[in-house]
Amino acid sequence: MTGTLYLCATPIGNLEDMTLRVLRLLKECDLIAAEDTRQTLKLLNHFGITTPMTSYYEHNKAVKGPQLLKALQEGKQIALVTDAGMPGISDPGEDLVRLCYANDVPVTVAPGASAVVTAVVLSGLGGRRFVFEGFLPPEKKERAKVLDALAKEQRTTVFYEAPHHLVETLRTLTLAVGNRQACCLRELTKKFEERRSGTLSELLAWYEEHPPKGEFVIVVAGRDPDEMQKEQEAAFASLSLEEHMARYLAAGKMEKEAMKLVAKDRGVSKREIYAALKGHGKKES
């Protein structure tokens, strides 16, 4: 029978956050595939687990992925772990999951600690709607696309960042989205857990004076929808109603739909737009 791939969450700092289920799976599985075997060995030693390990990380996934798949197809039970948190989030675990699904190998999750969720909750910036970006792309073109979208993003956004890039990333975010409220978090769940909040420019100034240490999670508040609406209304106010209507008509909209969209853009009722365009009311400029 085919084995199962178990995605096992490990503590992001505090070892007491290890779940009983993950402990059992790490003991019972035939093999543990770890992002960094040295890091995982410390965890296994702490809990007295002696299950064999193999490495699976970004630079060997092309070779190791098929090997793990073959072992699963032969009936081996494999636990996949990352250095901390949930495998498959900003790591090559997602590639192994896709490979398993493509070959009808079952996959399941043993959930636990997650730096993304922990940071959003602790930030106080709103967790009803949030988006996870992970690390900003290193390629300039791809990074520019992400930052352009972020400038309009109304949801809370979460980033990961290394200490030696934190100051530059805060500077980049400030330039891209303006001086929004944000929160930088480090040492999550540990004794010296740190949460520092303020505007992006305030955080930038702090870390320029106090060199950051440790891995960071940056949580950035979404754009204020009222502010967006005001900017949009101001931009459309420079157009005449006829010019505004012409844009939607040129895009293939019917007249009634175009009027409705123009009214929404300008923050007025459709009746006012109709009256102005048809000459039955005070004309808007």
Side-chain angles (χ1 to χ4, degrees):
M1 291 180 65
T2 302
T4 297
L5 178 69
Y6 295 91
L7 306 178
C8 295
T10 53
I12 58 175
N14 194 319
L15 294 180
E16 292 180 359
D17 291 333
M18 180 70 102
T19 71
L20 295 175
R21 184 182 175 209
V22 170
L23 282 175
R24 178 179 60 79
L25 287 170
L26 293 181
K27 291 175 182 177
E28 293 180 356
C29 279
D30 300 297
L31 183 66
I32 297 171
E35 184 179 12
D36 185 336
T37 54
R38 296 165 301 180
Q39 188 70 19
T40 301
L41 183 60
K42 298 175 186 177
L43 181 72
L44 299 184
N45 286 341
H46 180 82
F47 289 104
I49 298 171
T50 58
T51 305
M53 267 196 302
T54 188
S55 64
Y56 175 79
Y57 57 95
E58 184 65 32
H59 299 296
N60 77 352
K61 66 182 182 182
V63 173
K64 191 58 70 74
Q67 293 176 5
L68 292 172
L69 175 65
K70 185 173 184 294
L72 286 161
Q73 291 172 326
E74 291 172 351
K76 299 290 185 183
Q77 308 297 330
I78 297 178
L80 178 68
V81 299
T82 184
D83 289 350
M86 178 62 68
I89 302 294
S90 286
D91 75 26
E94 59 184 347
D95 297 288
L96 185 56
V97 170
R98 281 195 292 268
L99 187 61
C100 287
Y101 286 148
N103 290 274
D104 297 320
V105 171
V107 179
T108 190
V109 174
S114 167
V116 179
V117 175
T118 303
V120 169
V121 172
L122 198 56
S123 73
L125 291 177
R128 189 178 72 83
R129 299 171 67 237
F130 69 89
V131 57
F132 175 60
E133 282 291 347
F135 292 93
L136 279 173
E139 302 84 6
K140 288 185 179 180
K141 198 170 183 179
E142 187 65 25
R143 175 177 288 224
K145 286 172 62 178
V146 170
L147 292 172
D148 182 59
L150 181 63
K152 307 176 188 70
E153 183 60 72
Q154 295 182 38
R155 295 169 293 181
T156 300
T157 308
V158 188
F159 299 91
Y160 285 164
E161 194 50 276
H164 53 287
H165 291 310
L166 181 69
V167 168
E168 184 56 36
T169 295
L170 289 173
R171 185 177 293 113
T172 298
L173 290 173
T174 304
L175 291 172
V177 307
N179 202 21
R180 292 190 198 172
Q181 288 294 314
C183 187
C184 287
L185 304 109
R186 60 182 288 272
E187 296 290 289
L188 289 172
T189 74
K190 297 181 184 178
K191 182 178 180 179
F192 298 106
E193 178 177 275
E194 179 181 271
R195 172 189 178 276
R196 185 161 297 279
S197 62
T199 63
L200 282 168
S201 63
E202 288 170 343
L203 291 170
L204 174 59
W206 170 266
Y207 287 111
E208 283 178 330
E209 292 295 322
H210 303 81
K213 296 178 181 179
E215 300 300 315
F216 280 79
V217 183
I218 308 170
V219 184
V220 181
R223 189 173 183 187
D224 185 343
D226 292 336
E227 177 190 331
M228 287 185 67
Q229 181 66 25
K230 288 177 183 176
E231 287 184 9
Q232 189 177 53
E233 289 173 10
F236 286 125
S238 63
L239 297 174
S240 68
L241 283 180
E242 290 75 12
E243 289 171 332
H244 202 159
M245 280 287 293
R247 289 193 176 190
Y248 284 118
L249 294 173
K253 303 294 183 184
M254 300 299 290
E255 185 179 45
K256 285 186 177 179
E257 186 181 3
M259 283 187 182
K260 185 177 179 181
L261 291 169
V262 168
K264 182 180 178 182
D265 290 342
R266 301 170 88 94
V268 298
S269 70
K270 181 182 173 184
R271 182 176 296 177
E272 289 178 69
I273 298 298
Y274 180 86
L277 288 171
K278 301 300 182 182
H280 299 308
K282 184 179 179 181
K283 194 150 187 166
E284 185 179 340
S285 58

